[in-house]
Each structure stands twice: as structure tokens, then as C-alpha cells.
């Protein structure tokens, strides 16, 4: 509740700064491009945190460090695949759907560039790791980086560069910083567990599907549900 409360407060201030700096027309352009980018990301991502929780809990309970490590590798690969899909979908959608929502000219280019930057926001794997290891506190603190970074970057944009492109760039930069922080936190938690530290041998994706029955079916179901 504290994390969401702080995030909501910071987000309100950030949008207030954007509204004052950009004006009504500029804010409308900002929100339209932001919504476009978020829609593309929701279509592309596989909700890997849910995949990790669904299949990883059993491996942790059984002390199967190797199987858990392979599942993490699979989840990270899905995130990478989502990132590539995000780029392809963004470039295609901006041409096909852009004109329908009044994105044209420079706005189309800006929307495509911003939508591809949402690859920085795909962090299901580290979030899933922290939740599985029962470190919701660390996850909440790490995710609080996002509104704080947005607020700081938004204040700088308001003071020195009150343009739509810079507010969008600050949003993307905040996503990148947050993803880096959450990955660092997740890796630190993994390294504190001795049986997981020793699971770095024989890693590979060859046996992941056999070790986790219904893995692909669940992953695609979560992707379609979020879409």
C-alpha cells in the first residue's frame, strides 16, 4: 500500500508538471503516444512473472536448484523474445493503426521510437524471482524506483526541456533504471541461497519443457489473457 501510495502521489505530480509544461494539446499528444506504447507492450509480453510462480514454486519446494535455474533462463529468454516482438509490433502498428488514432508525420516516428523503448519495461523475470523467494518487500522498494525516477526526470524536463519528446524520453529512462534495479535485487537474493548458487552447472533450455509440463500452454494463455 505504501509503494502504490507513493507511486500514485509521484505520478500525480509528474502528470501535473507535464500538463503545465506541454499545455492541453501537448499533453494529449503525450498521453496518446504513451497509451500506444503501453498497448504494444501488453500485446508482446508473456507475463513471465506468472510463469515463474506457477512452475518455479515446485522446484523451490523440492530443492531442485538446477531445474529452477533452467526455468529462470527460459523466462529470461521469453522476456528477450517479448522485447523483439515489441519492436516489430510497434513499427507495424504505427503504420497500420497510427492513422486511425490521428498519429501522422513526426508523431508517427515519435510513437514508434517510444513504443520500442518499452522493451526497457519488460521485467517479469526478476519480479517473479523476488515474489517466489518471498521478498515482496524488496520488490516493492525496487518498483518504487519507477515513480521516483519519473518525477525527477519530469522535473528536469519541466525546468529545462518542456517538450513532448523529452517527457517521453524521461519516461523510457525511468523504465530502464527500474528494470536494472529490480534485476540487481533479484540476483542478490538468488546469490544468498546456497543451493541456487550451486545450480549454475548444466544450464540450458533443452529439458525445460519436459521438466515443466504444460509450460508453453500456460505461457501463451497468459500472453493472450493480458492482450
Amino acid at each position: 500500500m505504501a509503494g502504490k501510495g507513493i507511486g500514485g502521489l509521484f505520478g500525480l505530480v509528474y502528470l501535473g508538471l507535464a500538463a503545465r509544461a506541454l499545455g492541453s494539446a501537448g499533453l494529449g499528444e503525450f498521453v496518446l503516444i504513451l497509451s500506444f506504447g503501453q498497448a504494444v507492450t501488453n500485446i508482446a509480453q508473456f507475463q513471465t512473472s506468472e510463469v515463474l510462480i506457477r512452475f518455479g514454486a515446485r522446484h523451490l519446494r523440492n530443492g531442485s536448484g538446477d531445474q529452477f535455474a533452467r526455468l529462470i533462463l527460459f523466462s529470461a529468454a521469453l522476456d528477450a523474445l517479448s522485447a523483439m516482438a515489441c519492436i516489430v509490433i510497434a513499427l507495424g502498428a504505427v503504420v497500420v493503426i497510427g492513422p486511425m488514432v490521428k498519429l501522422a508525420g513526426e508523431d508517427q516516428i515519435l510513437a514508434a521510437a517510444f513504443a520500442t523503448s518499452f522493451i526497457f519495461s519488460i521485467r517479469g523475470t526478476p519480479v517473479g524471482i523476488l515474489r517466489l523467494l518471498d521478498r515482496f518487500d524488496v520488490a516493492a522498494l525496487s518498483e518504487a524506483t519507477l515513480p521516483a525516477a519519473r518525477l525527477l526526470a519530469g522535473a528536469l524536463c519541466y525546468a529545462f526541456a518542456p517538450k513532448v519528446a523529452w517527457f517521453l524520453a524521461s519516461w523510457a529512462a525511468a523504465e530502464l533504471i527500474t528494470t536494472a534495479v529490480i534485476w540487481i535485487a533479484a540476483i542478490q537474493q538468488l546469490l544468498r541461497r546456497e543451493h541456487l548458487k550451486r545450480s549454475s552447472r548444466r544450464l540450458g533450455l533443452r529439458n525445460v519443457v519436459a521438466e515443466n509440463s504444460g509450460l508453453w500452454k500456460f505461457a501463451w494463455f497468459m500472453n493472450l489473457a493480458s492482450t
Side-chain angles (χ1 to χ4, degrees):
M1 289 178 64
K4 292 295 184 183
I6 293 173
L9 178 62
F10 284 5
L12 184 63
V13 176
Y14 175 86
L15 288 177
L17 291 173
R20 287 183 172 274
L22 302 176
S24 58
L27 182 64
E29 181 184 351
F30 171 75
V31 171
L32 179 61
I33 294 175
L34 175 63
S35 301
F36 179 82
Q38 289 175 329
V40 168
T41 306
N42 284 336
I43 292 171
Q45 64 184 347
F46 274 94
Q47 301 294 326
T48 47
S49 63
E50 305 294 339
V51 173
L52 266 178
I53 292 169
R54 166 67 179 81
F55 296 97
R58 183 177 69 253
H59 299 320
L60 284 182
R61 182 189 64 205
N62 297 335
S64 305
D66 283 347
Q67 293 182 5
F68 184 59
R70 282 192 286 271
L71 182 63
I72 291 175
L73 185 61
F74 175 83
S75 178
L78 273 186
D79 279 344
L81 181 63
S82 297
M84 290 186 287
C86 189
I87 295 174
V88 173
I89 294 172
L91 295 177
V94 77
V95 174
V96 177
I97 302 175
M100 300 179 187
V101 293
K102 308 302 182 184
L103 284 175
E106 293 183 1
D107 286 347
Q108 275 188 308
I109 298 173
L110 191 58
F114 179 66
T116 57
S117 76
F118 262 74
I119 60 175
F120 303 142
S121 69
I122 298 176
R123 46 181 173 265
T125 298
V127 170
I129 291 171
L130 291 173
R131 291 175 178 174
L132 262 178
L133 299 181
D134 199 26
R135 294 314 307 262
F136 288 83
D137 54 341
V138 176
L141 286 172
S142 300
E143 289 176 339
T145 305
L146 182 60
R150 284 176 183 167
L151 179 59
L152 176 60
L156 292 174
C157 289
Y158 178 80
F160 301 109
K163 296 184 180 298
V164 172
W166 283 107
F167 272 95
L168 291 172
S170 71
W171 190 282
E175 294 283 0
L176 175 60
I177 292 170
T178 304
T179 298
V181 168
I182 294 178
W183 262 114
I184 291 170
I187 292 171
Q188 286 177 338
Q189 294 301 317
L190 287 173
L191 292 177
R192 290 179 181 178
R193 285 153 173 83
E194 291 298 324
H195 69 288
L196 296 178
K197 287 171 64 175
R198 295 194 297 269
S199 67
S200 58
R201 305 181 302 273
R202 302 187 303 278
L203 288 184
L205 299 178
R206 182 179 302 174
N207 299 320
V208 172
V209 176
E211 293 169 348
N212 302 276
S213 178
L215 180 61
W216 273 116
K217 181 180 179 180
F218 184 81
W220 278 111
F221 174 81
M222 293 307 301
N223 172 270
L224 291 173
S226 68
T227 298

